[in-house]
Amino acid sequence: MTTFRAWWVSKETDASGTAMQTASVRELRDSDLGAGDTLISVQYSSINYKDGLALCGRPGVVRSWPLIPGIDLAGTVEASDSGAWSPGDRVVLTGAGLGESSHGGLSQRARVDGSALVRVPDALGPLRTAAIGTAGFTAMLSVLAVERHGVSPADGPVLVTGAAGGVGSVAVAVLSRLGFEVVASTGRADSEGEYLSALGASQILDRAALLEPGKPMQSQRYAAVVDSVGSHTLVNAIAQLKDGGVATACGLAQGSDLPGTVLPFILRGVSLAGINSVYAPLPLRQEAWARLERDLDLDLLDGMTEVIPLAAAKDSAERILAGGIRGRTVVDVNA
């Protein structure tokens, strides 16, 4: 029977009866993979904020124990009963419960539901597709939401919060390439300013300007906001939207609360668009990946990407929770 290496998250009880969530690299067998109609030889995964929570024993992500973490993967189909895929097909999967309620991508093998898979774009290949991963996919969904709201570069600047992170980095790069003036908010303005400017940001904003409670109605600055932070940061960003503007919400790095008022929505007619990348329907997944293939500068993607071996995933998980990672971290599961 085939054996392979994977990260394994489990709950263990200590001598006092206290349950603890632990994570380690283990050697597993195909029989450990669980349900799914498509077997994949995984090449790459990546480290996202949710992976950090899972690997470091934080609550809120893992819903089934034991579990292989990793909310995305890129690899090659070995076998499939789905009718949609054949051996040798190169595929990518993000979200769809991966690494939360079903075994994920921080593994050399995966068994998944073939209906959620998307073909790896030819121009990207597996490594770059994994570098985009869930974070870049979420960023593209946010850009699509901004466009569907009718916002164009002529309407004014777009604010990207958490700009040095995975979602933010891709959002800055894509929006800039589409012709938008991008204001990048980061807590590392001194150290990340050059990095964000290289991605296309025209202005760097220290996140301190948005962190604390502010007035419910503030000066109109932005035509749109791409937010991955939540809480007061998102509320202040909404308060600075221009008439008819839109804010997209996809994260909660500062908090899950929304401590604001309805005044900007009523008096300026602004909108808040939620971005659910986990259960995005297949047509939207396909559209987002097609746009990433077209609208993301691959040189910029390569420049924001670090590749690590499987065993180093937990170290990177700790760094991402501490806010110490910029751009994207790809895990070569076979290294």
Side-chain angles (χ1 to χ4, degrees):
M1 182 175 291
T2 301
T3 62
F4 60 93
R5 292 186 306 138
W7 277 93
W8 190 251
V9 175
S10 59
K11 271 189 175 180
E12 299 180 0
T13 303
D14 63 17
S16 67
T18 302
M20 298 182 299
Q21 185 174 309
T22 63
S24 61
V25 177
R26 296 192 182 182
E27 188 167 291
L28 304 175
R29 297 179 295 179
D30 281 357
S31 57
D32 295 313
L33 286 175
D37 58 27
T38 302
L39 181 64
I40 297 174
S41 176
V42 182
Q43 294 171 271
Y44 302 101
S45 185
S46 68
I47 298 297
N48 300 277
Y49 193 81
K50 285 183 176 180
D51 302 319
L53 296 174
L55 287 167
C56 295
R58 306 282 186 89
V61 172
V62 179
R63 299 185 177 91
S64 176
W65 287 270
L67 189 77
I68 298 172
I71 64 171
D72 54 30
L73 62 81
T76 303
V77 172
E78 281 196 18
S80 180
D81 297 324
S82 71
W85 304 103
S86 300
D89 287 342
R90 298 194 301 181
V91 293
V92 56
L93 178 58
T94 59
L98 201 69
E100 298 183 61
S101 57
S102 61
H103 289 315
L106 287 172
S107 169
Q108 292 176 314
R109 293 167 74 78
R111 186 178 286 118
V112 302
D113 180 358
S115 66
L117 295 169
V118 175
R119 194 174 301 278
V120 168
D122 290 338
L124 298 177
L127 194 154
R128 283 170 166 162
T129 296
I132 294 169
T134 293
F137 173 68
T138 303
M140 193 70 240
L141 292 181
S142 300
V143 173
L144 290 174
V146 168
E147 291 179 340
R148 287 184 176 128
H149 194 74
V151 177
S152 70
D155 295 319
V158 176
L159 172 67
V160 177
T161 67
V167 174
S169 294
V170 176
V172 170
V174 171
L175 287 165
S176 174
R177 185 161 183 172
L178 292 173
F180 287 92
E181 177 187 349
V182 180
V183 177
S185 170
T186 177
R188 297 167 277 171
D190 292 339
S191 60
E192 302 295 1
E194 183 177 348
Y195 165 74
L196 291 168
S197 295
L199 293 182
S202 58
Q203 181 182 341
I204 310 301
L205 179 69
D206 193 303
R207 71 178 177 190
L210 300 168
L211 277 177
E212 300 300 326
K215 296 179 179 179
M217 299 287 286
Q218 301 174 31
S219 297
Q220 298 185 44
R221 295 182 174 90
Y222 308 111
V225 174
V226 173
D227 176 71
S228 60
V229 179
S231 193
H232 292 294
T233 295
L234 176 56
V235 170
N236 284 319
I238 291 170
Q240 295 177 26
L241 281 172
K242 295 184 176 183
D243 288 335
V246 62
T248 67
C250 67
L252 38 74
Q254 184 180 5
S256 61
D257 56 331
L258 194 67
T261 77
V262 298
L263 289 179
F265 303 100
I266 295 172
L267 299 180
R268 290 182 182 162
V270 303
S271 299
L272 178 60
I275 305 300
N276 182 355
S277 64
V278 176
Y279 295 110
L282 184 59
L284 183 57
R285 289 175 181 272
Q286 293 169 331
E287 180 185 6
W289 281 105
R291 286 291 303 275
L292 284 160
E293 183 179 27
R294 189 189 82 185
D295 294 329
L296 179 57
D297 186 311
L298 298 185
D299 288 336
L300 292 181
L301 176 64
D302 293 344
M304 71 173 80
T305 301
E306 174 189 12
V307 181
I308 62 171
L310 183 65
K314 191 171 182 179
D315 290 339
S316 288
E318 292 170 349
R319 288 169 55 209
I320 201 170
L321 293 184
I325 286 183
R326 73 180 187 189
R328 298 290 292 135
T329 300
V330 171
V331 180
D332 181 345
V333 301
N334 297 303

